[in-house]
Amino acid sequence: MSNSSSITQFLLLPFTHTRELQLLHFWLFLGIYLAALLGNGLIITTIAWDQHLHTPMYFFLLNLGLLDLGSISTIVPKSMANSLWDTRAISYSGCAVQLFLFVFLITAEYSMLTIMSYDRYVAICKPLHYRTLLGSRACVHMAAAAWATGFLYSLLHTANTFSLPLCKGNALGQFFCEIPQILKLSCSYSYLREIWLLVVSAFVLFGCFVFIVVSYVQILRAVLRIPSEQGRHKAFSTCLPHLAVVSLFVSTGSFAYLKPPSISSPSLDLVVSVLYSVVPPALNPLIYSMRNQELKGALWKLIS
């Protein structure tokens, strides 16, 4: 039996032990990673370059792109390197850093999505007060609050998780370091304080989810009252991408952490974890640019 003081590295769960499939995983992740870098990079550059996009909605979208780039860069390169070099190891300190950064960026992204739902609510339900409620200073403060929330939340969980004594080996049942997998290695009853912390966090996250749902119920009611079909179409066009991103983020994350233990298996856990940690950062730029004519126009001007 080992304890946390003697552990110098963790062993991550490999996607496969077959060399050909390991290389296939490397090339697949490389394609997804490059797509995420290209998509988010183009959106960030376009919003920063085009003066017409210097509005609250696009300011928050720029922050979302930065968070997506950070989250996928935290876990995918290490997984690609492990598959390429046929290894499973990640150092103890590397695991702590990866866990901190991933929780920080994912939490900040969820906070940013909550703020973006408020932005859409004010734009459609209270358009006359939009510039008052969402001035430049207010937008900067809200974005800073989202980043600070993610930082403090991650710092608390990372410090608490890695202070637990580990006495059940060093093999993690995931392709990156995450809290539930490290808790499985902790000694009996020593993980209860982190469990309580996660329960409290779940209530806070559920509160954000309720806020998003209530905002969109109000938005839907306001849109249905718009007399012109063109006005309704324009309102839906600005809301549907954000709603799609929220749905993808919440559904995959909820299924990953709330699925019944009876259907859990290493292969299913790997697939689900890819769906909530790797796929959204690559798809978000496509979702946001698909129906947004203003963003597509600015992007085309930048490229040409």
Side-chain angles (χ1 to χ4, degrees):
M1 304 292 281
S2 62
N3 55 46
S4 55
S5 62
S6 63
I7 292 177
T8 59
Q9 66 177 16
F10 291 97
L11 298 178
L12 300 174
L13 182 66
F15 278 83
T16 177
H17 294 284
T18 307
R19 187 58 186 156
E20 291 76 11
L21 293 179
Q22 286 177 341
L23 294 177
L24 177 62
H25 161 250
F26 168 80
W27 289 111
L28 178 63
F29 264 35
L30 178 62
I32 295 174
Y33 186 52
L34 291 178
L37 290 180
L38 178 62
N40 287 287
L42 282 174
I43 285 184
I44 292 168
T45 305
T46 302
I47 294 174
W49 170 77
D50 195 319
Q51 295 289 331
H52 296 95
L53 301 183
H54 291 181
T55 63
M57 181 177 74
Y58 292 109
F59 172 72
F60 295 135
L61 182 56
L62 183 147
N63 278 269
L64 186 68
L66 291 172
L67 291 167
D68 278 336
L69 278 181
S71 64
I72 196 170
S73 298
T74 299
I75 59 174
V76 168
K78 177 59 180 175
S79 180
M80 289 165 51
N82 281 2
S83 292
L84 185 62
W85 303 115
D86 191 20
T87 180
R88 298 174 53 192
I90 183 172
S91 66
Y92 185 90
S93 58
C95 185
V97 170
Q98 187 183 69
L99 175 67
F100 170 78
L101 289 176
F102 186 70
V103 174
F104 163 40
L105 294 164
I106 287 294
T107 305
E109 181 165 348
Y110 188 57
S111 302
M112 194 65 64
L113 290 172
T114 306
I115 293 171
M116 292 173 76
S117 69
Y118 174 72
D119 167 69
R120 291 299 83 206
Y121 165 76
V122 175
I124 293 176
C125 299
K126 299 179 182 294
L128 298 178
H129 302 283
Y130 187 74
R131 292 185 178 275
T132 304
L133 295 175
L134 288 165
S136 58
R137 181 175 296 182
C139 290
V140 170
H141 288 169
M142 286 190 284
W147 286 84
T149 299
F151 179 83
L152 293 175
Y153 179 87
S154 181
L155 184 65
L156 181 63
H157 278 288
T158 304
N160 197 39
T161 300
F162 280 89
S163 67
L164 299 175
L166 307 179
C167 50
K168 297 181 182 178
N170 66 338
L172 301 177
Q174 187 56 277
F175 76 97
F176 63 96
C177 293
E178 65 173 359
I179 293 174
Q181 298 301 326
I182 297 176
L183 292 182
K184 290 180 180 179
L185 304 180
S186 62
C187 303
S188 300
Y189 303 112
S190 62
Y191 60 89
L192 290 180
R193 61 180 180 180
E194 176 63 19
I195 293 295
W196 278 110
L197 197 58
L198 288 171
V199 170
V200 173
S201 302
F203 277 106
V204 175
L205 296 176
F206 181 73
C208 292
F209 176 71
V210 170
F211 180 86
I212 293 173
V213 171
V214 171
S215 297
Y216 270 96
V217 169
Q218 298 297 321
I219 289 171
L220 181 61
R221 292 174 59 187
V223 169
L224 293 178
R225 289 198 298 265
I226 296 176
S228 68
E229 184 177 348
Q230 184 179 3
R232 289 195 298 270
H233 177 75
K234 184 178 180 180
F236 275 125
S237 294
T238 61
C239 292
L240 285 179
H242 177 255
L243 190 58
V245 169
V246 170
S247 300
L248 178 66
F249 184 86
V250 173
S251 61
T252 54
S254 299
F255 184 75
Y257 288 100
L258 300 179
K259 65 182 183 297
S262 58
I263 66 171
S264 181
S265 66
S267 57
L268 178 62
D269 291 345
L270 276 177
V271 172
V272 172
S273 62
V274 169
L275 288 177
Y276 92 88
S277 62
V278 177
V279 173
L283 282 185
N284 286 352
L286 182 63
I287 293 173
Y288 269 107
S289 61
M290 188 177 297
R291 295 178 61 90
N292 193 318
Q293 298 299 327
E294 191 177 22
L295 182 60
K296 285 197 292 187
L299 182 59
W300 177 250
K301 284 195 297 182
L302 175 66
I303 294 174
S304 61

